[in-house]
Amino acid sequence: MSRRPGLQVTARGVALPVGAPMRRSPSQFRSALLTVVLAVALPAAAGADLWYEHYARAEKALADRDWSAAVAELNQALEKKGDSGARVRTYGMKVEAYFPYLRLGVAYYHLGQLDAALQAFDTEERLGAVAGSEEHQRELQQTRALVRAARQEALEEERRRIGEIVETSLAEAGRLEGAGRLRAAAAALGRALAVEPDNAAATASLERLRGKIARQEERAELEARRSDLVARGRGLLDAEDFEGAAGLLQQALELAPGAEARDLLATAREGLRRRLDAVAAAEREGLVGAGLEAARSLEAAGDLDQALTRLQSVLALQPENREATVLQDRLLEARAAADRDASRRQTVEALLADTRRELAAGRVEAALAAANRILALDPAHGEALEAVAAAYRELNRSLLGSAPPQNIPPAIRFADLRRDLAEGLQAERVTSPEFRLNGVVIDESPVEVAFVDAAGRGIEATVREQPVGGVYITEFSLDARLGPGLSTFRLTATDAERLSTSSDYAVLYVRPLYRVPWLQALGAAAVLLAAAVLWGRRLARRRSLRRRRFNPYVAGAPVLDDRLFFGRRELIDRILQTVHNNSLLLYGERRIGKTSIQHHLRRRLRELEDPDYEFFPVYVDLQGVPEERFFQSLADDVFEELAPQLEGLTPSSPGPEGYTHRQFVRDLHAVIGVLKRRTAKRVKLVLLIDEVDELNDYDPRINQRLRSLFMKSFAEQMVAVVSGVEIRKRWEREASPWYNFFEELEVTPFRPEDARALVERPVRGVFGIDEGVVERILDLTESRPYRIQRLCMAVVNRLHEQGRYRITLDDVDAVGGAAAEST
């Protein structure tokens, strides 16, 4: 039997096929190695991942109309694989469309969870992969339209039912209040507020009722304390403790007048006088002084009851003693306040226990009644307010028949540079072992992010989280050093309700020949030989730059040289991850670098190799553009920037009314038509609009028409990245046509490491820098890029004037004040 060539797998990896011919070109060898690595590594990983089985069961559940089972299976599929895709490998060489959030939205639609369905559709669209499948994109849009129509119909029906519930509840509350049943009236109002929390009439009625309940509770507490004091006083009187009885009965009368307490107090004082009549007249003055001193000491020690008791003998001997009566009034007031506070605390604790018990038992209205009694006594009580909110939620569900809101698993989006390397297999191919993976996790709550490698070992990553437009955006960045071959990183994101999503990112490191060890040694010798030549050239270059008064810093103009552009790489990466589907607003203080970001974003978009989109960026500067020339200015910039791609196409000529919005729409349709003919990918026109604050002063109709371009006319082909200073504050108002339209990103001052790079790198090899200089510059400029550029420019000019080549602290201090004042 002849032996067919086969693969040898050794301890060091994959060897050449046994019996295969060895005569291959280097490119053929690398291609064969790539195929082998993928054939061995990726199928094993895919075989261990059973996400596709959950997805298949979810598809079957949807076909069987078992919507709940579909949701459960889809959540499990997402827990194992969160990447959507039009062609995703399952097992063997089989590929299929995988759009779990789209399917989740369909299931939630049929379950009546319309908000969850819309959230799922939005998430699928944010991930971007569905745009690569016309069939699934069409299904998403059609189903979302059905959901929105159903949601509108449900909202109208809900508004009608809310009106009926509120009207009935207010009428019932009024009837119960008239009958003196205050707690029942408050419970009736609770039903109104559960379905319409902002109803003014119900809110005002509840506040009034809580006041009445509070007064009712206070009267009940007062009577309870008075009865207790009278009963204890009578007991002491029976035991002939006249002094103690008088103290308690005096407190009872202080709370509320009553014949019984008054008569018992008279009896106690009479008994006390009879006892004191036996004391000699000479001793009485001493008793009065000792009694007052003891009462004051007991008051200072906080023993108010004993202080009152000791004071009764003084008042029996000298009823008109001014010092004794003032002290007694003070003691009675303090005792009443202490009793009132203690009684209120006990009442609140008892009601709180009732509230917890009733909520746990599902008796929502009883819990609400107890919580309302707490709030009548303590309007700011935190747990009672939470209990009321929980009761309102349960009442809302029971009255309106709504199911608890559903949570969607987090969505993961990588800064994706993966390509199809074999049928259904995706990996990013790199030729450097230093690798960085960036991306974002999107969810309605904060998320926990964890990375592991193919062996399950945890990997540290940088994570930063911020709320944006009603969702939480968690940015992540992972740095790794790759070994030759395939490396896989798994990201797991878990939200506040413990729903999780996982996504794998595969990287294939194909080591170039110059990184092979023996070639590196050979190259090292060549490098050493060339080093001397380069050093000589560097010295010559340094002398030349100094003669030409070299100054690399730019102050005022945008930074266009990529070598001088620092500190904004992550922000631009974030924009590139988002711009496929969303428009963005860059906001920040003046001279913080927004214009430079826009110019570099234009360059990156031109160079970006995206598998699905061809980007056509157009920079637009609105500074000084009057509103009557707005659309003309946009058209001029579009046609000028894209002239090489437009095959001689020109904009329409202005009419009697000037260049109008309608002409701009027609011209844009023509532009996009030409661009579509130039590429097989999807066209995305990106308007990079700087100084967008100008729109604040335009007629609102200009803003509405501009917004309609992105929302209606060119929703699929055009997005915007706008930058401004004050525009964010103005556009936050719901009356603005731009309310909640943009994903907002703040352009902040530099991080210390980026500010340091901006100071050091431009002059490296030309000027030296003393220790402490960089820190002084950062302190003076507060890490603002414009201030750094301006200060460093002044320092370099000073060196040229003085013929020196090293920057000192004296140089910084000499020009720092003037540079700071000019900013």
Side-chain angles (χ1 to χ4, degrees):
M1 183 176 65
S2 63
R3 182 176 179 181
R4 300 181 60 186
L7 293 178
Q8 283 187 328
V9 181
T10 71
R12 303 177 68 87
V14 181
L16 288 171
V18 177
M22 294 297 294
R23 294 184 298 275
R24 294 187 178 182
S25 68
S27 62
Q28 289 175 320
F29 177 78
R30 286 195 295 270
S31 177
L33 177 61
L34 170 61
T35 304
V36 168
V37 170
L38 291 172
V40 172
L42 282 178
D49 189 1
L50 303 179
W51 61 267
Y52 50 84
E53 295 183 2
H54 291 293
Y55 193 65
R57 288 196 287 268
E59 294 273 28
K60 183 178 185 306
L62 288 170
D64 294 341
R65 307 176 69 83
D66 190 350
W67 315 119
S68 296
V71 169
E73 293 291 346
L74 288 165
N75 281 338
Q76 291 187 69
L78 282 165
E79 188 174 345
K80 297 175 179 296
K81 181 175 177 59
D83 308 66
S84 298
R87 289 174 56 80
V88 182
R89 187 182 186 197
T90 57
Y91 57 91
M93 300 304 288
K94 183 179 179 182
V95 294
E96 66 175 58
Y98 178 60
F99 297 112
Y101 289 101
L102 168 59
R103 295 288 173 248
L104 205 54
V106 171
Y108 277 133
Y109 166 51
H110 289 287
L111 285 170
Q113 289 285 347
L114 304 181
D115 289 334
L118 289 175
Q119 183 189 344
F121 292 143
D122 290 346
T123 299
E124 190 69 81
E125 208 163 46
R126 278 196 188 100
L127 292 176
V130 73
S133 169
E134 290 187 10
E135 174 191 351
H136 292 89
Q137 177 78 358
R138 185 167 55 251
E139 180 185 359
L140 187 151
Q141 292 172 347
Q142 290 173 349
T143 313
R144 181 158 57 189
L146 292 174
V147 173
R148 285 174 173 165
R151 190 169 181 266
Q152 184 60 35
E153 183 179 340
L155 286 173
E156 291 173 1
E157 172 61 19
E158 187 175 278
R159 279 195 289 269
R160 184 190 64 77
R161 293 180 61 195
I162 286 172
E164 291 178 355
I165 291 169
V166 169
E167 184 179 354
T168 302
S169 299
L170 287 171
E172 184 181 359
R175 178 178 58 78
L176 291 168
E177 183 180 3
R181 299 174 58 192
L182 303 182
R183 296 173 188 171
L189 289 173
R191 291 192 286 276
L193 290 168
V195 297
E196 191 177 355
D198 298 328
N199 185 276
T203 301
S205 296
L206 183 60
E207 288 299 315
R208 188 183 65 255
L209 278 173
R210 282 178 177 168
K212 287 186 174 183
I213 292 171
R215 290 190 290 276
Q216 195 178 68
E217 296 281 353
E218 287 171 0
R219 286 194 297 271
E221 289 175 7
L222 190 69
E223 179 56 31
R225 291 203 306 273
R226 190 197 66 79
S227 297
D228 178 63
L229 288 168
V230 170
R232 288 163 57 201
R234 184 185 294 108
L236 292 177
L237 195 58
D238 291 342
E240 296 189 352
D241 182 356
F242 301 119
E243 195 174 36
L248 294 175
L249 294 166
Q250 187 68 57
Q251 291 181 54
L253 284 173
E254 179 69 15
L255 293 175
E260 181 183 16
R262 190 168 50 251
D263 292 344
L264 289 172
L265 178 60
T267 302
R269 283 179 174 170
E270 180 61 30
L272 193 56
R273 275 195 296 272
R274 286 198 306 272
R275 183 173 293 170
L276 291 171
D277 282 344
V279 177
E283 297 177 6
R284 291 186 179 185
E285 285 298 325
L287 286 175
V288 168
L292 283 171
E293 182 62 29
R296 282 193 292 266
S297 297
L298 289 165
E299 179 190 27
D303 193 345
L304 304 180
D305 287 336
Q306 282 301 313
L308 277 168
T309 298
R310 291 301 307 272
L311 204 56
Q312 299 311 306
S313 296
V314 176
L315 290 168
L317 290 169
Q318 294 181 0
E320 304 303 324
N321 185 298
R322 176 66 179 167
E323 187 176 357
T325 56
V326 169
L327 180 55
Q328 177 176 257
D329 289 343
R330 189 166 69 240
L331 289 169
L332 287 171
E333 184 178 349
R335 179 72 268 179
D339 283 346
R340 185 169 56 250
D341 291 344
S343 177
R344 179 158 297 184
R345 281 196 301 273
Q346 291 173 0
T347 302
V348 167
E349 287 173 4
L351 289 171
L352 198 56
D354 290 344
T355 303
R356 293 167 180 159
R357 184 172 56 255
E358 300 296 353
L359 272 179
R363 293 186 287 270
V364 179
E365 293 205 8
L368 186 59
N372 271 322
R373 288 177 63 191
I374 295 172
L375 294 173
L377 299 172
D378 181 2
H381 195 283
E383 188 173 348
L385 289 169
E386 291 176 4
V388 167
Y392 281 173
R393 286 194 295 270
E394 290 300 320
L395 278 174
N396 183 291
R397 282 196 281 270
S398 64
L399 291 169
L400 298 178
S402 56
Q406 296 298 315
N407 183 28
I408 302 297
I412 299 171
R413 179 165 183 166
F414 296 110
D416 201 347
L417 297 175
R418 290 173 293 183
R419 297 291 181 273
D420 289 330
L421 301 182
E423 183 65 23
L425 302 179
Q426 283 195 328
E428 179 179 347
R429 181 174 176 171
V430 298
T431 56
S432 169
E434 302 299 330
F435 176 71
R436 168 170 285 189
L437 177 60
N438 295 315
V440 296
V441 179
I442 307 168
D443 196 65
E444 288 195 330
S445 67
V447 297
E448 299 173 8
V449 174
F451 272 100
V452 296
D453 61 16
R457 295 183 295 265
I459 309 174
E460 289 294 326
T462 302
V463 177
R464 187 175 64 182
E465 168 192 293
Q466 63 174 331
V468 176
V471 298
Y472 282 85
I473 303 293
T474 303
E475 302 175 36
F476 58 81
S477 179
L478 176 145
D479 290 296
R481 184 171 181 84
L482 305 175
L486 191 75
S487 298
T488 302
F489 304 100
R490 164 156 287 211
L491 165 62
T492 300
T494 306
D495 67 13
E497 296 184 22
R498 310 314 298 170
L499 276 183
S500 65
T501 306
S502 294
S503 290
D504 290 340
Y505 196 92
V507 189
L508 181 67
Y509 170 39
V510 180
R511 187 168 63 184
L513 290 176
Y514 66 82
R515 290 187 182 273
V516 176
W518 66 268
L519 285 175
Q520 287 179 336
L522 187 62
V527 168
L528 289 174
L529 182 62
V533 177
L534 291 175
W535 180 250
R537 289 180 178 176
R538 183 175 298 174
L539 289 175
R541 175 179 175 273
R542 184 183 300 175
R543 285 193 294 268
S544 172
L545 290 173
R546 288 170 178 170
R547 282 196 303 271
R548 291 190 286 109
R549 299 180 67 85
F550 163 77
N551 196 329
Y553 299 102
V554 180
V559 178
L560 302 180
D561 189 338
D562 192 54
R563 294 169 298 177
L564 302 177
F565 185 66
F566 297 94
R568 305 302 188 192
R569 308 291 180 182
E570 290 185 7
L571 179 61
I572 288 181
D573 286 343
R574 167 79 178 279
I575 296 169
L576 294 176
Q577 294 161 16
T578 308
V579 77
H580 297 73
N581 300 303
N582 293 345
S583 292
L584 298 102
L585 165 64
L586 306 179
Y587 69 93
E589 62 190 64
R590 294 196 182 280
R591 298 186 180 276
I592 199 67
K594 300 184 292 296
T595 300
S596 297
I597 291 171
Q598 291 277 38
H599 282 288
H600 283 268
L601 184 59
R602 175 173 60 174
R603 182 183 60 78
R604 287 286 301 276
L605 284 167
R606 286 173 175 170
E607 298 172 354
L608 188 64
E609 289 292 333
D610 189 273
D612 300 316
Y613 288 94
E614 186 78 24
F615 290 98
F616 296 92
V618 175
Y619 177 76
V620 178
D621 186 355
L622 289 186
Q623 187 169 24
V625 176
E627 68 175 58
E628 60 270 15
R629 279 193 48 78
F630 174 66
F631 288 109
Q632 176 75 68
S633 180
L634 286 183
D636 290 345
D637 287 329
V638 168
F639 280 89
E640 180 179 347
E641 186 101 11
L642 302 180
Q645 290 88 23
L646 293 184
E647 303 171 359
L649 184 69
T650 59
S652 305
S653 299
E657 299 178 357
Y659 187 85
T660 65
H661 165 257
R662 291 182 180 276
Q663 287 178 289
F664 184 57
V665 171
R666 286 198 299 270
D667 286 345
L668 271 186
H669 278 298
V671 166
I672 289 172
V674 173
L675 297 178
K676 283 182 175 179
R677 291 196 296 270
R678 296 181 59 86
T679 177
K681 298 180 182 179
R682 303 182 68 187
V683 167
K684 188 69 74 170
L685 180 62
V686 186
L687 297 185
L688 307 171
I689 305 177
D690 199 12
E691 300 295 343
V692 75
D693 308 78
E694 295 285 343
L695 290 175
N696 288 333
D697 300 322
Y698 284 8
D699 188 312
R701 288 174 295 182
I702 298 288
N703 286 274
Q704 291 284 4
R705 288 167 182 165
L706 179 60
R707 185 179 191 273
S708 71
L709 296 177
F710 299 101
M711 297 298 291
K712 297 177 183 177
S713 307
F714 303 98
E716 296 297 324
Q717 296 89 21
M718 193 165 71
V719 294
V721 180
V722 306
S723 52
V725 178
E726 297 294 334
I727 200 72
R728 178 175 183 259
K729 297 177 182 177
R730 301 201 183 189
W731 286 357
E732 280 180 344
R733 297 196 300 264
E734 292 195 39
S736 167
W738 303 107
Y739 178 75
N740 213 23
F741 176 78
F742 291 99
E743 182 168 328
E744 299 176 6
L745 300 176
E746 183 178 7
V747 183
T748 60
F750 277 177
R751 295 176 301 185
E753 59 269 27
D754 297 321
R756 177 180 288 275
L758 176 55
V759 174
E760 294 176 339
R761 290 187 193 171
V763 295
R764 184 175 293 166
V766 181
F767 295 103
I769 301 176
D770 279 359
E771 186 176 351
V773 164
V774 176
E775 285 69 22
R776 181 71 59 85
I777 291 174
L778 301 194
D779 184 54
L780 288 171
T781 61
E782 299 177 325
S783 295
R784 264 92 175 150
Y786 171 75
R787 297 182 187 177
I788 294 173
Q789 296 266 17
R790 190 174 184 85
L791 178 56
C792 290
M793 177 183 283
V795 167
V796 171
N797 286 338
R798 175 182 166 88
L799 293 184
H800 284 306
E801 291 167 3
Q802 298 183 2
R804 294 185 295 108
Y805 307 114
R806 190 163 192 85
I807 302 172
T808 68
L809 284 170
D810 289 341
D811 293 321
V812 176
D813 292 338
V815 303
E821 287 175 8
S822 65
T823 59

